[in-house]
Amino acid sequence: MPAAPRLHELQQGFAAAVLGRSDDVAAWVDGAGLDPAARLRIYRNAVAATLDAALHDAFPTVHALVGEDFFEAMAARYREQHPSTCGNLQSFGGALPGFIEAIPRARSLGYLADIARLDWLRQLTVLAPDAAPADARAAADAAAVEPRRLHLRLHPSLHLLHSRWAVLTLWQWCQSPGGPAPRPDRGGESVLLWRDGGEVAMAAVDPATFHCIEVLAAGGDVAAAHRAAMDLDAAFDLQPCLRDLLVQGLVVAFNNQEGCT
Amino acid sequence: MSFLLPQAQRPIPAAAGIGLRAPHIARVLQERPPVPWFEVHSENYFAAGGPMHAALERIRADYPLSLHGVGLSLGSSDALDVAHLASLRRLVDRYQPALVSDHICWGAIGGIHLNDLLPLPYTAEALALMVSRVQQVQDALGREFLVENVSSYLSFRHADMPESAFVAELVRRSGCGLLLDVNNVYVNSVNHGFDPGEYLRAMPHASVREIHLAGFLRKDRLPVPLLIDSHSRPVADEVWALYREALELCGPQPTLIEWDQDIPELEVLLAEAARAEEELHACRTAIA
């Protein structure tokens, strides 16, 4: 009988068994009336069930579109290739959109990866930090600042997704499927997500508005954001875009205030 | 002096609380049921903001709170995850819970997390590691930390002490508190064939700060009895009997009803808590 394993070696062996890679650690498991490997399988199944449940929670729309069998098979392969790296399950699943893109069977469902991105961004939106919107007086002060010197700090819950597919329309259909599903290739959608009163709000916006907000979110000044939007649409009007951001409470600070760079 | 403190700042009473889970939060906010205290899973609140925190802030204003972790992986031979510990510290600072706990187990190795409460070998090496980890956590949090005995479905051939000795020695050497899960004691007594009463008698009774109760599933069609700690059913009669024994040994303690799978209506949990409350009352009366 070899020497008893040190804790590190035992835990590596246990993880290998749980991940389905090797049952060598069974030599150190007391079967006590059962096959030691069967005892290890209890843990293997429990770990798989926990991770699969986390993926179900995070990707409800992907699940609705592909059905249980496909989702389960995908989840099993995903957790093999992308094991959890965090003690907090809310972090598990971030690589699923890219993983879906690489699945040969999912190629015919080109929009599925973007649906996964939308699901994941919805979760990030729910969990994002809180921040109080800038007040009217701060906005009035900011109006006097030259646009090329004006930066906006946007709400941490604001997320953006540009897709060549009709992801938001498809998402909405999945909430109460009735009638024929919308064609995913009916035109791309640029989606804003943010938190409104504890709920995730989403809106599809025109590409120029999307690009304007994207530049602002990346720290660009208002003049640069305006130019970027005008490059896409010469008729783009900056004022309604900024007004909507303010009205929705999505501007947290201006560069004339502390905390905005 | 506790009568001068707002309800929520009082220590957790030796009364029966319930584990607060997502499906019940809206009702608790709306109806404010007369639950003496709530416990939540720490990791569910690791995110910086959002509606979960908004709800917990409101609940915390009216109820004493306990934070119960499942992801610290104290017994892993990997270094303790300092980011996880920092998140816990932030949560403790924010909510000032009366109790903070995690499990006597491991869950990660080589940076891979299995996100489960995995069994330790009950060896001197694992004990020394657990003692140092619990001390590290108590130092980081600047307060007493509770460790909970876990249920398990296997044991290791090279164990050199029984689980009860491991748990008792860990608590004694690290100076932490014990969260005694009576259901886990019962589940393990069946799964590993020991006397659960003897286990309870081996515990450091003065260090018990909290008791957990939950329901298990019985696996059929196996050559040996096997119970799964599923948190999916009412507390079993055998566990109520063991709970009575635990109260006789430890005195009345804050007791929590846990239910995590197939979560029923709030009333079912309240009824389970009421039954625990009867046992607590009987225990108080016996002492008086």
Side-chain angles (χ1 to χ4, degrees):
Chain A
M1 193 111 183
R6 300 270 299 173
L7 185 63
H8 183 71
E9 189 191 337
L10 185 80
Q11 290 178 336
Q12 281 182 321
F14 198 102
V18 164
L19 297 171
R21 293 171 184 170
S22 157
D23 262 354
D24 288 355
V25 77
W28 292 99
V29 171
D30 185 359
L34 287 178
D35 178 4
R39 291 192 178 271
L40 286 165
R41 270 199 303 279
I42 297 171
Y43 286 100
R44 188 176 168 182
N45 294 340
V47 167
T50 300
L51 294 176
D52 288 356
L55 293 178
H56 270 101
D57 287 351
F59 298 96
T61 321
V62 174
H63 180 243
L65 284 170
V66 301
E68 180 60 23
D69 291 350
F70 187 100
F71 193 91
E72 209 173 277
M74 179 185 72
R77 285 184 47 203
Y78 178 74
R79 58 182 149 73
E80 271 170 35
Q81 292 178 32
H82 298 270
S84 168
T85 55
C86 185
N88 177 6
L89 277 169
Q90 287 168 341
S91 304
F92 181 63
L96 189 71
F99 176 82
I100 289 175
E101 251 160 7
I103 302 176
R105 269 182 69 200
R107 292 248 168 84
S108 60
L109 310 171
Y111 55 90
L112 197 59
D114 278 355
I115 287 288
R117 289 191 177 92
L118 189 65
D119 274 342
W120 187 250
L121 289 180
R122 286 180 58 85
Q123 174 158 309
L124 295 187
T125 300
V126 169
L127 300 174
D130 298 309
D135 59 22
R137 183 165 171 190
D141 290 351
V145 178
E146 243 186 288
R148 66 189 173 90
R149 296 187 192 282
L150 183 62
H151 298 258
L152 276 55
R153 186 147 61 93
L154 301 180
H155 196 278
S157 76
L158 180 68
H159 289 89
L160 299 104
L161 177 66
H162 176 70
S163 175
R164 46 191 279 253
W165 311 95
V167 279
L168 183 59
T169 304
L170 208 51
W171 183 92
Q172 283 159 344
W173 180 81
C174 284
Q175 305 317 300
S176 48
R183 288 181 60 96
D185 59 355
R186 66 206 289 269
E189 287 178 344
S190 300
V191 184
L192 303 182
L193 303 92
W194 70 97
R195 205 163 58 220
D196 184 8
E199 301 284 326
V200 177
M202 297 191 289
V205 297
D206 64 88
T209 299
F210 185 87
H211 199 34
C212 176
I213 295 171
E214 202 172 32
V215 171
L216 290 173
D221 63 73
V222 169
H226 193 185
R227 268 196 315 277
M230 296 273 288
D231 286 347
L232 289 181
D233 176 4
F236 173 75
D237 187 357
L238 179 66
Q239 291 311 320
C241 172
L242 295 182
R243 192 186 55 226
D244 285 354
L245 286 174
L246 280 164
V247 167
Q248 288 297 331
L250 295 176
V251 181
V252 169
F254 298 93
N255 61 337
N256 52 345
Q257 294 174 308
E258 200 181 329
C260 192
T261 52
Chain B
M1 289 299 184
S2 67
F3 63 90
L4 292 176
L5 291 170
Q7 170 78 16
Q9 287 175 31
R10 291 179 205 162
I12 283 184
I18 64 175
L20 183 62
R21 304 295 180 252
H24 298 140
I25 288 176
R27 273 194 64 191
V28 167
L29 283 174
Q30 206 173 1
E31 299 172 18
R32 306 286 161 150
V35 175
W37 59 285
F38 285 111
E39 182 168 278
V40 296
H41 283 160
S42 312
E43 286 80 6
N44 288 348
Y45 296 87
F46 271 15
M52 294 278 283
H53 280 293
L56 192 58
E57 293 272 9
R58 289 172 60 198
I59 288 165
R60 179 69 188 95
D62 292 336
Y63 296 93
L65 183 72
S66 163
L67 291 181
H68 184 52
V70 294
L72 206 43
S73 190
L74 286 168
S76 169
S77 70
D78 281 357
L80 196 60
D81 182 344
V82 289
H84 197 102
L85 185 54
S87 296
L88 180 60
R89 169 74 198 263
R90 274 193 298 277
L91 206 58
V92 167
D93 288 347
R94 179 169 181 174
Y95 289 100
Q96 299 291 317
L99 301 171
V100 188
S101 55
D102 206 306
H103 298 82
I104 304 172
C105 71
W106 66 284
I109 187 70
I112 292 180
H113 284 255
L114 301 167
N115 302 100
D116 200 354
L117 309 175
L118 303 175
L120 283 166
Y122 298 124
T123 61
E125 182 197 11
L127 178 59
L129 179 77
M130 278 297 296
V131 169
S132 71
R133 291 291 166 77
V134 170
Q135 286 167 339
Q136 190 182 345
V137 171
Q138 294 197 130
D139 288 348
L141 299 182
R143 57 176 292 157
E144 184 183 68
F145 191 71
L146 315 187
V147 292
E148 177 185 342
N149 57 301
V150 295
S151 45
S152 60
Y153 313 112
L154 58 77
S155 58
F156 294 102
R157 291 183 190 281
H158 59 298
D160 44 36
M161 65 190 93
E163 180 192 327
S164 56
F166 188 94
V167 172
E169 194 61 11
L170 168 61
V171 171
R172 193 185 66 75
R173 280 168 54 181
S174 68
C176 67
L178 179 60
L179 195 180
L180 179 62
D181 189 313
V182 173
N183 182 59
N184 290 349
V185 173
Y186 182 74
V187 163
N188 284 2
S189 76
V190 171
N191 291 352
H192 306 302
F194 60 72
D195 173 359
E198 200 175 302
Y199 185 113
L200 289 184
R201 288 188 291 279
M203 289 298 102
H205 305 130
S207 299
V208 173
R209 302 279 180 272
E210 180 184 348
I211 292 176
H212 272 182
L213 296 172
F216 58 75
L217 275 181
R218 196 178 292 275
K219 294 290 264 191
D220 296 324
R221 296 189 298 275
L222 291 175
V224 293
L226 189 79
L227 307 183
I228 302 288
D229 176 32
S230 58
H231 293 196
S232 64
R233 297 174 49 77
V235 177
D237 287 342
E238 302 92 319
V239 175
W240 284 119
L242 201 59
Y243 175 52
R244 219 166 292 137
E245 276 187 61
L247 292 182
E248 280 165 23
L249 292 165
C250 308
Q253 297 295 334
T255 300
L256 188 87
I257 302 295
E258 287 188 295
W259 206 310
D260 291 285
Q261 309 278 335
D262 304 327
I263 297 175
E265 289 297 313
L266 187 58
E267 283 72 15
V268 177
L269 294 184
L270 295 174
E272 291 280 277
R275 182 157 176 196
E277 199 55 57
E278 283 172 28
E279 300 293 351
L280 284 163
H281 180 72
C283 176
R284 280 184 219 110
T285 313
I287 290 171

